Structure formats: structure tokens, C-alpha cells
Amino acid sequence: MLDEISLPNGLLPLVDITEVGYNRTSGFVWLRQKKKREHFYKDIGKPVTYDKEVTAFVEKHRIKKQTGIYIDDPSNGQITFKTPFRISRTFPVAAFAFGMN
């Protein structure tokens, strides 16, 4: 699904997934895993916690209503994480490519 919307395939490093759903019409996605998981992205020096259930609305270059993850311009090689409080932080897309972090 991440490849389909042009986002890095390591962005959601979930394990022990028990259920996955993707409604292409609305863009709604849900993933359930057996337990909450923390993943450390060494290229950016940040841990990210993924709850037992992750839901979002997706479209080309964007994940919305999760934490506002998006790529403004895919050619610039940057990904921006934006919170509802308008705080954002930008990192290299390569930091989230599967097998590179």
C-alpha cells in the first residue's frame, strides 16, 4: 500500500499483523498487530511507537489523520511529519526506506 501511494516502504514497520484493511475509494486504512511496538529509526535518531491498531486516510504522497505524515515534493527527497498543533519536522525519505535504517 505504501508503494501504491509513493511513500517509503519502511514508514510502518509493524510486526505480527493480525488484520489489514484498505478502502481505496475513501482512502481509509487500518492495521492491527498483536501488541504495541516501538521502532528506532537510527538514521534520524528517533524512536516511534506504533499502537496495536493504526488507522489513517491515505492518498498519493500523504497519510492523513494519523499525525499528518506527508511528502510535499517527492523529488526533493524529504518527508515531513506534522502534528495537529502545526509543529513539523522534516527528515530524508531514505531514513524510512525498508532495510536502510
Side-chain angles (χ1 to χ4, degrees):
M1 183 257 328
L2 291 171
D3 286 337
E4 186 176 309
I5 61 170
S6 300
L7 286 173
N9 58 6
L11 195 56
L12 296 171
L14 307 179
V15 294
D16 294 329
I17 295 175
T18 60
E19 184 178 338
V20 175
Y22 180 24
N23 181 322
R24 284 179 173 79
T25 304
S26 68
F28 184 70
V29 174
W30 68 94
L31 303 115
R32 289 190 179 113
Q33 55 185 352
K34 288 184 179 179
K35 62 181 181 174
K36 184 178 0 179
R37 177 172 194 254
E38 184 173 286
H39 180 77
F40 186 79
Y41 290 95
K42 71 176 186 175
D43 290 353
I44 63 169
K46 302 281 182 197
V48 176
T49 301
Y50 297 90
D51 207 349
K52 286 173 65 172
E53 182 173 294
V54 176
T55 64
F57 285 88
V58 300
E59 60 187 57
K60 195 75 164 180
H61 306 294
R62 293 183 184 270
I63 296 177
K64 300 185 302 185
K65 296 189 179 177
Q66 182 183 7
T67 55
I69 301 168
Y70 65 92
I71 298 176
D72 270 338
D73 177 2
S75 66
N76 77 3
Q78 300 291 308
I79 187 167
T80 301
F81 294 83
K82 186 176 180 182
T83 71
F85 303 107
R86 300 193 188 267
I87 298 169
S88 64
R89 185 104 188 253
T90 301
F91 301 101
V93 170
F96 298 92
F98 190 69
M100 292 185 66
N101 47 10

